[in-house]
Amino acid sequence: MLTQGQPTPEVVDRIRDIPIYRTSAGRGHFPVLDKPEIARGFPDNWMTPRLAAALESGEAEYVLSTGTNHARMQIIRPPYFLLNSYYRLWSEHPDIAFTWEQGCRRVSLTTVLATEHVARVNAKKRGTRPDPVPALDERRLDARTVYLNLRLDPALWERHEVERMIGEIRDEQRAHPQGLYHLDCSAHHLAHLVLKAKQWGLWDDFPPPASIIHAYEYTPATVRRFLVRHFACPVIDLFGSTELGYLYYSDRTGRYHPYLDDMGVELIPVHPGSAIHSLIVTSVRNPYMPLIRYRSGDCVRTADGTPDPDRIVRFCGREKELLTTAHGPVSQGDLDDRVGEVAPEVFLHQLHVPDEGEREALLVYTTFDGTPQPGRSAQLAAAVADLTGLSCRAEHRTHIPVGKSGKYAWLARDGR
């Protein structure tokens, strides 16, 4: 797929007629492809007779990348491209393929935006508008997958919502001959559901899943440990994106493995000498919008700090969210490591950084049991100061709001 960072001749032959790549193919050198280049002139910069025919027939479609705290990007892909990538990986994963083979239903607990998207698609098929509170059947993506969440901020779920979701999980479980189901989730959403169920005496009613995949956003180490402690089944992480599909998966111990069919990966330090690397992907998995040396926007660390993609041990957040410090760039994963080491009882945390010229940062955090940790606050503040070089104080909060995307931001540049 790649030779010394450049696509192989076989790959070049497959993409040379796509307008965005014609100049590079003629020169024999492909620069790193950034998201603004993809958007510039879209879709004409991707249009070929083959793509036009695929769009006309429905074999290709326009979609938006999921986005988190950044602008969404329009892309072209086959229908259900990401879902098919998920299903294939699930069916081949050494720890959880048995739940696929057993025909387990997939219950998805993630952002309300994902639920609303499914409801909109189903309503469009019927020629109607989606119901403001869609029934369970309106939230079915296909015969195998149903979505649960109907609220933006899972911390604000009320008892009747938790009872509804647990009841819907139970219904999906009972539909299987052996009472098995697969739980797909954002790790934060599942942790909130567990905490709410325990708080209201509903935990005994929560049907245990046969397998769990958490994806969609970065999962803090403390949250993963919380889930592993509460569920006896394999808990698997997937790494991927709307435009690429899934690239890596963890095993049940948390170790990552590549899943790079029709893909190649290279790593470039985010700054000279940095051990944090940008993930650069060459992929022809999507035949209608192949991405050549595409900067995904994700950051990784390797076992030895070298740019060797075979030694990736950590996906540590988004490149746009790196914090520049006197000690070098700091990623979400770097802060997460410090927090997890100092205070394993922390559930959510968010670092508020000061304007230029000010030096005090604020780390706000919640705990799994909801109680303040006065002794921990000083330790957390010291850990942040050591990591960033900024003076810091830490404060316990009862609530950290979720972002408008339904995902949590680890860093807030809010002028404190």
Side-chain angles (χ1 to χ4, degrees):
M1 187 64 66
L2 289 168
T3 302
Q4 295 181 335
Q6 292 294 311
T8 61
E10 292 79 11
V11 170
V12 175
D13 284 343
R14 293 174 68 171
I15 55 91
R16 66 171 61 253
D17 292 335
I18 300 174
I20 195 172
Y21 296 129
R22 283 176 186 159
T23 299
S24 296
R27 292 175 177 171
H29 177 81
F30 289 77
V32 170
L33 179 65
D34 290 306
K35 294 179 191 290
E37 289 301 314
I38 290 175
R40 189 173 293 119
F42 185 92
D44 292 343
N45 55 349
W46 295 92
M47 197 58 63
T48 63
R50 180 191 181 201
L51 176 55
L55 288 166
E56 179 69 24
S57 68
E59 294 177 16
E61 63 181 6
Y62 294 103
V63 298
L64 290 172
S65 63
T66 53
T68 52
N69 304 297
H70 306 297
R72 302 173 78 186
M73 176 177 68
Q74 194 169 27
I75 59 176
I76 303 168
R77 67 178 191 184
Y80 300 111
F81 174 74
L82 187 61
L83 179 69
N84 289 334
S85 176
Y86 182 109
Y87 279 172
R88 182 179 172 189
L89 203 159
W90 176 13
S91 71
E92 297 175 1
H93 192 289
D95 291 321
I96 62 172
F98 73 96
T99 58
W100 172 269
E101 294 163 358
Q102 289 289 323
C104 290
R105 291 189 179 183
R106 172 181 173 235
V107 176
S108 189
L109 181 67
T110 181
T111 68
V112 72
L113 276 70
T115 308
E116 290 172 345
H117 172 74
V118 173
R120 283 196 303 271
V121 169
N122 287 335
K124 185 177 180 181
K125 290 177 182 176
R126 299 191 304 269
T128 62
R129 291 177 177 269
D131 193 294
V133 184
L136 185 64
D137 282 345
E138 297 176 63
R139 291 180 266 126
R140 291 193 184 278
L141 179 62
D142 59 16
R144 196 140 190 178
T145 295
V146 68
Y147 285 76
L148 299 181
N149 182 31
L150 294 175
R151 185 186 283 264
L152 177 64
D153 192 336
L156 302 181
W157 282 330
E158 298 179 359
R159 181 178 180 125
H160 70 91
E161 295 173 281
V162 172
E163 289 175 337
R164 171 188 59 77
M165 289 186 284
I166 291 176
E168 290 172 348
I169 292 172
R170 191 182 304 111
D171 289 344
E172 296 302 290
Q173 178 209 30
R174 287 173 177 167
H176 190 272
Q178 284 79 48
L180 304 177
Y181 77 99
H182 170 69
L183 183 54
D184 167 77
C185 66
S186 159
H188 298 93
H189 283 69
L190 181 54
H192 276 296
L193 187 61
V194 172
L195 292 170
K196 297 280 190 180
K198 295 177 75 173
Q199 175 186 347
W200 290 320
L202 303 171
W203 179 239
D204 289 344
D205 298 329
F206 196 126
S211 59
I212 293 174
I213 283 177
H214 59 78
Y216 304 103
E217 62 180 312
Y218 179 93
T219 297
T222 57
V223 176
R224 178 177 169 82
R225 288 198 296 264
F226 176 84
L227 298 182
V228 169
R229 190 164 68 246
H230 281 83
F231 296 99
C233 66
V235 180
I236 306 303
D237 183 30
L238 299 188
F239 172 80
S241 67
T242 307
E243 64 270 24
L244 291 167
Y246 292 99
L247 289 77
Y248 287 82
Y249 64 86
S250 78
D251 56 31
R252 62 192 307 162
T253 70
R255 181 184 177 190
Y256 286 99
H257 303 268
Y259 190 75
L260 298 174
D261 288 353
D262 291 327
M263 289 185 175
V265 168
E266 56 186 302
L267 305 182
I268 297 176
V270 294
H271 293 294
S274 175
I276 303 175
H277 295 86
S278 297
L279 186 68
I280 311 298
V281 182
T282 289
S283 174
V284 295
R285 188 182 290 177
N286 174 358
Y288 304 119
M289 195 171 171
L291 296 169
I292 308 301
R293 301 197 72 212
Y294 166 65
R295 190 190 305 272
S296 73
D298 301 289
C299 297
V300 305
R301 284 189 178 272
T302 58
D304 56 1
T306 63
D308 182 351
D310 292 331
R311 299 181 67 81
I312 291 175
V313 293
R314 189 72 181 280
F315 296 92
C316 53
R318 302 287 294 170
E319 189 170 350
K320 282 189 174 181
E321 296 173 1
L322 289 174
L323 175 63
T324 301
T325 78
H327 299 182
V330 170
S331 72
Q332 180 176 7
D334 299 332
L335 179 64
D336 181 42
D337 286 342
R338 297 296 183 99
V339 170
E341 291 166 4
V342 169
E345 61 271 47
V346 167
F347 177 17
L348 304 171
H349 61 270
Q350 187 178 72
L351 182 63
H352 294 249
V353 296
D355 284 335
E356 190 173 350
E358 301 178 33
R359 293 198 57 79
E360 186 179 65
L362 171 65
L363 182 76
V364 296
Y365 66 94
T366 70
T367 54
F368 288 107
D369 65 6
T371 60
Q373 302 286 328
R376 292 296 197 201
S377 291
Q379 292 175 301
L380 286 165
V384 172
D386 181 63
L387 177 66
T388 65
L390 294 168
S391 173
C392 182
R393 58 191 173 90
E395 292 181 359
H396 176 266
R397 298 284 172 88
T398 57
H399 178 226
I400 295 176
V402 77
K404 63 182 180 180
S405 66
K407 302 179 183 181
Y408 287 97
W410 76 278
L411 187 65
R413 295 180 171 92
D414 57 1
R416 287 197 60 85

